[in-house]
Amino acid sequence: MATDIKPVHLLLLEPSSNDAETMITTLRNHGYPVRATQVIKEDDLIEQLSRQTWDLCLTRAEVKGLNANRVVELIDEYARDIPVILITHDENETDLISALRSGMKDAVPFASQELMYLIVKRELENLEQRKLRKKAELLLAEAEKRCNLLLDSSQDAIAYIHDGMHIYANQAYVELFGFEDPDELLCMPVMDMIAGKDHENFKNFLRQYAKNPSHNQFAANGINGSGEEFESVITLSNATYDNESCTQFLVKSRSDNAELEAKVAELSAQDVLTGLYNQNYFQERLDDIINADAEAGNGGQLLFIALDQYKEISKDFGIGGADDIITAAAHWIEDFFGEEPLLARYGNENFVVYLESFSPDKAKQSAEELLASVAKHLFEIEGKTQKITISIGIAPVGDQTNNAREIISFAHSACMRAVKAGGNNAKVTSKMVDGEKHEHSDTIAKIHDAIETGKFHLLFQPIVKLHGEEKPMYQALLRMKTDKGDIPPSEIFPIAQIGGLAAKLDRWVLMESLKQLHHQKSKASIFVHLSAQALTDDTFLTFIDGLFKSTKMPQSSLVLGVNAEDAMTYLKKVIVFSQMLKKMKVNLAITHLTPSPEHLGLLDQIIPKYAITDADITTQLSSGGESIAQITTIFSEAHQRDVLTITPKVEDAATLAALWPLGVKYIQGFYLQMPLPTLNFDFSSSEF
């Protein structure tokens, strides 16, 4: 059986076979069928470049005298399109800048295998797009040759106009206007071909056409080279000529039945039942708009609208009743939006609307107003009153939009999510949810829905001081409500990270935590563990600062936790992050800490207020052995730096007994207290 899976041909300049195998395994684990060749000498590289083409090159800064810059030079000498990614020992801005300047695509630390995969994924996708573009350019060149031949031999009078001047005219156009040679028309203003009495109307028509390319026909008197007038119909369309954006003029005299043809074209664009545009015409016009907007840098929003009760109405009232409700809904939607937007019936019970120059917020507001308007209205079917609701999917149309079919598919998918959520609501499209499906698509869709419908809630687990005076502290634990019960953060955040939603959830947890403190008038501190996505979000610190200002809560209300592995991956960002938090007087905790030198080094590089040990160490404490030595090392290193220690997942008395003599400051776990829905734990009674 044929397969669409293509092997990835990888050049690997890596002296260590173990490290090479690690990188290959990472890519294979993510579904890439890698065929790698390990190269360690310049002669070997030259041989491989001369033998075949390659999809990707991963290289160290230097491999036995062959440095990365020379690798790029050799690839250029052989004119190969091979993205080169530099593999470094650690995250270093100087290495990244040097790599980019020399022509490499990126630089990534070897330890960050997940980041390496994401960069490789991006570059392979870019390579595929370059190949497709090259193929498309060749096909375009061939198509343009054929088009030029067709234009020259066409019986229709066609000209191309740029900035109001003729840049091309075929023989039929030349003859229609009474000239002998096409060169006579070059650089002649198009207004010279139209009778003076129609000039002002024609200018107004051009302005309207620029706003709405669907209105592209104009009846005017043409004027030929001898000054004689004749009745004509002009049809405009966007085009390119010699790589220049221009406007195509198709001119037909009334004697050619141009009016009849225009009427036939108009009727062929209409949906017979509703009088709106039909599906085919809408797609054609939207493609024109997308192409025009790509040049102009404009954009808008596409709404996909579905009637929620259509199947029930069809069953109860038959085809006639279904047609009545479709017609009534079409007129209601048309009246709501007015004449400006491009509106069409799309399939049986669906409609599509293109809102030009609408922002996402404005489109969402309009969609919600339409939802309310339809829900309040009383429709009639065969003399009986019928209430209906609609569901709407909203998709942005902009620079990233490839074509009408793709963006309609996105909006339709978002609309189906709105239908599944019970109808009578609007959903904004997400490429991770509504684009290409993958193993986590359903869960990402549920997370999206939970954010929009308030299905998230927080629980708070006390963090208790083992020795000395108590201080009220809790960890915020996110939960997502489902039909099968609550889903914990360990299952939510990894998938939210894939879907680009983790930072959004972090913001929600921070806001909700401060809200709970305010409502319950609590003076406790709440620990919120941040995702890696929040650390790379340049607006996150501004958000935190604004949160404190708007809620007027003290900075001691929150302690922000950063996973030790994430801190190592984004060390420079985390150092800056911690410095800014200190200025804001917000405390920081390093979580999931192990006794490895790299993790313990974070205590000096970041200087947190709290160190939270890895829970896996805690689960082995009751059995003694290595875990006792590990946690003792962490406590010793932390306390030398005046960093307070917290041990999570204390689940039984044996674990607590093992911790008691080791000097831990705070403990947390089910043995002490299950997570609570409120901040009402009695810390004064928690004595051991």
Side-chain angles (χ1 to χ4, degrees):
M1 185 172 69
T3 178
D4 293 332
I5 299 176
K6 298 178 182 177
V8 174
H9 297 285
L10 172 65
L11 272 176
L12 200 51
L13 280 80
E14 168 60 68
S16 167
S17 296
N18 289 337
D19 288 354
E21 186 60 34
T22 297
M23 289 186 278
I24 293 168
T25 301
T26 295
L27 298 179
R28 285 176 176 164
N29 287 343
H30 283 89
Y32 286 110
V34 177
R35 294 182 184 174
T37 297
Q38 192 174 359
V39 177
I40 56 174
K41 294 189 300 184
E42 183 170 328
D43 290 344
D44 293 341
L45 177 60
I46 291 172
E47 181 185 351
Q48 295 300 332
L49 291 174
S50 60
R51 179 185 297 176
Q52 68 175 77
T53 187
W54 298 85
D55 299 312
L56 183 69
C57 176
L58 301 179
T59 180
R60 292 285 189 172
E62 188 166 323
V63 181
K64 294 189 177 180
L66 175 59
N67 64 51
N69 289 341
R70 179 58 179 159
V71 171
V72 175
E73 288 175 5
L74 287 170
I75 289 173
D76 289 342
E77 286 177 16
Y78 280 84
R80 298 292 193 189
D81 185 2
I82 307 172
V84 180
I85 299 170
L86 179 67
I87 306 299
T88 62
H89 292 291
D90 52 26
E91 188 176 18
N92 188 307
E93 186 177 343
T94 304
D95 288 343
L96 175 59
I97 292 171
S98 176
L100 293 174
R101 281 179 173 166
S102 65
M104 296 178 222
K105 300 299 183 183
D106 216 323
V108 59
F110 174 78
S112 303
Q113 288 293 299
E114 188 67 18
L115 178 60
M116 182 204 73
Y117 150 68
L118 291 171
I119 292 172
V120 166
K121 179 175 180 286
R122 179 193 70 197
E123 293 307 322
L124 289 176
E125 289 172 351
N126 289 344
L127 178 65
E128 182 63 22
Q129 289 302 314
R130 289 196 296 274
K131 289 179 179 178
L132 291 173
R133 185 184 67 186
K134 189 173 182 179
K135 184 178 180 181
E137 286 172 349
L138 291 173
L139 293 172
L140 177 62
E142 292 176 6
E144 285 179 341
K145 287 180 183 178
R146 290 195 296 271
C147 286
N148 287 335
L149 289 173
L150 290 171
L151 284 169
D152 290 339
S153 59
S154 175
Q155 298 300 308
D156 291 327
I158 298 171
Y160 287 155
I161 311 299
H162 180 67
D163 289 340
M165 302 289 185
H166 289 80
I167 58 174
Y168 166 84
N170 69 357
Q171 192 59 39
Y173 188 93
V174 171
E175 291 174 359
L176 177 64
F177 285 95
F179 291 87
E180 294 182 359
D181 191 330
D183 290 344
E184 295 180 61
L185 287 169
L186 292 183
C187 295
M188 180 180 289
V190 71
M191 296 300 286
D192 289 357
M193 322 302 287
I194 297 171
K197 64 181 181 180
D198 291 325
H199 278 190
E200 194 60 36
N201 288 337
F202 185 64
K203 289 177 184 177
N204 291 333
F205 163 69
L206 291 177
R207 293 189 194 101
Q208 290 299 317
Y209 173 75
K211 293 180 180 178
N212 188 353
S214 61
H215 300 305
N216 63 342
Q217 290 191 332
F218 180 75
N221 277 10
I223 186 166
N224 62 25
S226 303
E228 298 173 350
E229 295 185 11
F230 63 93
E231 293 183 346
S232 66
V233 173
I234 301 169
T235 303
L236 304 187
S237 58
N238 295 326
T240 57
Y241 186 76
D242 282 346
N243 296 321
E244 288 278 358
S245 295
C246 59
T247 304
Q248 177 183 285
F249 272 52
L250 171 63
V251 183
K252 293 200 173 190
S253 67
R254 292 285 177 87
S255 58
D256 293 334
N257 292 322
E259 270 189 304
L260 178 60
E261 290 183 18
K263 189 64 178 176
V264 170
E266 181 183 343
L267 290 173
S268 67
Q270 283 186 340
D271 173 63
V272 176
L273 179 63
T274 63
L276 303 178
Y277 290 128
N278 59 31
Q279 178 174 329
N280 291 336
Y281 182 78
F282 182 88
Q283 282 191 188
E284 290 175 6
R285 297 317 309 158
L286 187 58
D287 274 325
D288 290 341
I289 290 168
I290 289 168
N291 293 332
D293 286 347
E295 295 293 331
N298 299 324
Q301 303 289 321
L302 179 72
L303 271 55
F304 192 102
I305 303 168
L307 303 185
D308 292 331
Q309 291 80 17
Y310 178 75
K311 289 183 180 178
E312 290 82 353
I313 291 170
S314 296
K315 183 179 179 181
D316 295 341
F317 294 95
I319 295 175
D323 285 351
D324 287 347
I325 204 67
I326 287 171
T327 304
H331 292 160
W332 191 262
I333 295 169
E334 188 175 28
D335 290 343
F336 180 86
F337 286 110
E339 296 182 359
E340 280 297 315
L342 185 63
L343 170 63
R345 182 185 177 197
Y346 205 90
N348 277 340
E349 72 274 30
N350 303 319
F351 304 92
V352 280
V353 187
Y354 175 68
L355 303 175
E356 184 182 19
S357 301
F358 269 54
S359 67
D361 289 342
K362 188 178 177 183
K364 184 73 182 296
Q365 181 183 346
S366 293
E368 289 172 348
E369 289 172 357
L370 177 60
L371 288 171
S373 170
V374 171
K376 289 178 183 177
H377 184 64
L378 299 177
F379 293 88
E380 280 198 3
I381 306 176
E382 298 177 358
K384 296 180 181 179
T385 301
Q386 174 72 41
K387 294 194 74 171
I388 66 168
T389 59
I390 58 176
S391 295
I392 303 176
I394 307 168
V397 179
D399 294 342
Q400 296 182 2
T401 308
N402 294 319
N403 54 60
R405 184 177 292 275
E406 177 188 77
I407 201 65
I408 291 170
S409 176
F410 274 121
H412 173 259
S413 182
C415 181
M416 291 303 99
R417 284 196 288 117
V419 171
K420 289 178 182 177
N424 194 27
N425 69 96
K427 298 285 187 184
V428 178
T429 189
S430 162
K431 285 194 174 182
M432 284 300 300
V433 178
D434 302 310
E436 184 178 348
K437 294 293 181 183
H438 54 75
E439 58 179 321
H440 300 302
S441 292
D442 290 341
T443 306
I444 293 171
K446 289 177 182 176
I447 294 172
H448 259 285
D449 182 62
I451 292 172
E452 293 178 3
T453 58
K455 292 180 180 177
F456 281 115
H457 67 106
L458 290 183
L459 296 177
F460 302 96
Q461 188 167 45
I463 299 173
V464 177
K465 197 168 186 180
L466 195 56
H467 302 286
E469 186 180 347
E470 276 298 342
K471 177 183 178 182
M473 299 194 302
Y474 299 86
Q475 182 187 344
L477 300 172
L478 182 69
R479 296 291 187 268
M480 187 171 82
K481 299 174 185 175
T482 69
D483 295 338
K484 297 180 181 179
D486 284 356
I487 299 177
S490 59
E491 296 179 28
I492 297 169
F493 270 95
I495 297 175
Q497 188 92 8
I498 294 170
L501 298 171
K504 191 171 185 178
L505 290 181
D506 288 331
R507 291 174 187 243
W508 186 89
V509 173
L510 289 169
M511 287 191 293
E512 190 64 23
S513 296
L514 288 181
K515 187 189 298 183
Q516 291 289 342
L517 285 168
H518 183 268
H519 286 338
Q520 298 182 43
K521 298 180 180 179
S522 173
K523 295 182 180 180
S525 296
I526 296 182
F527 283 64
V528 176
H529 292 189
L530 301 180
S531 66
Q533 208 171 78
L535 303 176
T536 58
D537 184 344
D538 294 334
T539 65
F540 203 78
L541 282 167
T542 306
F543 167 77
I544 294 170
D545 188 44
L547 199 57
F548 281 117
K549 288 178 180 176
S550 62
T551 60
K552 295 183 171 57
M553 295 294 291
Q555 277 76 358
S556 60
S557 301
L558 291 177
V559 179
L560 303 184
V562 176
N563 187 297
E565 285 298 314
D566 292 338
M568 289 173 57
T569 302
Y570 305 104
L571 185 57
K572 285 194 174 182
K573 287 183 178 294
V574 173
I575 290 173
V576 173
F577 188 80
S578 65
Q579 291 170 346
M580 295 301 294
L581 287 181
K582 281 185 175 65
K583 289 181 181 178
M584 295 163 57
K585 298 181 180 179
V586 177
N587 288 324
L588 179 72
I590 297 295
T591 72
H592 300 81
L593 200 69
T594 71
S596 71
E598 294 83 7
H599 279 202
L600 295 177
L602 295 172
L603 299 177
D604 292 319
Q605 294 166 308
I606 298 172
I607 316 175
K609 176 74 172 178
Y610 300 93
I612 302 177
T613 58
D614 191 85
D616 289 342
I617 300 175
T618 313
T619 57
Q620 301 170 37
L621 280 175
S622 59
S623 59
E626 185 182 357
S627 59
I628 295 287
Q630 288 178 330
I631 207 159
T632 301
T633 300
I634 296 172
F635 291 167
S636 174
E637 294 290 334
H639 297 159
Q640 285 177 28
R641 296 164 174 81
D642 293 325
V643 176
L644 300 174
T645 51
I646 300 173
T647 300
K649 210 168 184 179
V650 177
E651 310 289 86
D652 51 51
T655 301
L656 181 59
L659 281 170
W660 184 267
L662 300 182
V664 63
K665 299 298 182 184
Y666 293 90
I667 55 176
Q668 171 193 2
F670 283 14
Y671 181 69
L672 308 174
Q673 176 61 55
M674 297 280 286
L676 301 164
T678 58
L679 304 167
N680 62 356
F681 180 73
D682 185 3
F683 286 90
S684 63
S685 65
S686 56
E687 296 180 1
F688 301 97

